[in-house]
Amino acid sequence: MTKKILIVDDEPHIRLLIEQTLEDLEDEGVELLTASNGEEALETIKAERPQLVFLDVMMPKMNGFDVCNAVKNEFGIKDTYIIMLTAKGQEFDRQRGSNVGADLYMTKPFDPDEIIEKSQEVLGLN
């Protein structure tokens, strides 16, 4: 089974930055997917079942909290590890992420090494 990571952010340069951070994992057979809004993210998660999702919060059509809640609580997709990756770093936001089922909450700007290490850990690489 191909291991998949979905990168969800409405900012093209952030998606590209995360893709570039993770591109070495493609050599280990990991497929990188992207989505530019919440609705697209939800459809991709249902169709592709990525093992890991980096999910922005503030996006058009459907925000990251609603996407996470739909995946974890409405559709019961528990085996997809969701990392909320956002500029919203207030404790209220972190708690809201936890309440909707996010597995981890990270704030921007992010440390590329942390993104790689967490991806390898979740996907069982190395």
Side-chain angles (χ1 to χ4, degrees), residues 10-59:
D10 60 328
E11 297 289 335
H13 66 280
I14 298 290
R15 285 196 310 272
L16 182 61
L17 186 62
I18 298 171
E19 275 188 277
Q20 289 173 338
T21 299
L22 295 172
E23 68 185 2
D24 286 348
L25 296 180
E26 290 178 310
D27 294 339
E28 299 182 51
V30 176
E31 183 178 356
L32 299 179
L33 309 167
T34 60
S36 61
N37 64 61
E39 285 182 1
E40 187 182 346
L42 193 55
E43 291 305 313
T44 303
I45 291 167
K46 289 194 296 188
E48 298 287 338
R49 295 296 180 110
Q51 288 79 21
L52 174 60
V53 177
F54 287 98
L55 182 62
D56 188 20
V57 170
M58 295 176 288
M59 296 184 293

Side-chain angles (χ1 to χ4, degrees), residues 67-107:
V67 172
C68 188
N69 187 54
V71 170
K72 295 287 191 172
N73 302 312
E74 292 176 31
F75 299 114
I77 302 173
K78 303 293 185 189
D79 57 346
T80 294
Y81 194 96
I82 296 181
I83 297 175
M84 308 288 295
L85 185 60
T86 176
K88 295 178 76 71
Q90 304 260 333
E91 185 55 35
F92 169 80
D93 299 312
R94 290 177 180 274
Q95 187 60 50
R96 188 170 174 199
S98 177
N99 290 345
V100 295
D103 295 287
L104 185 66
Y105 198 94
M106 298 173 74
T107 54

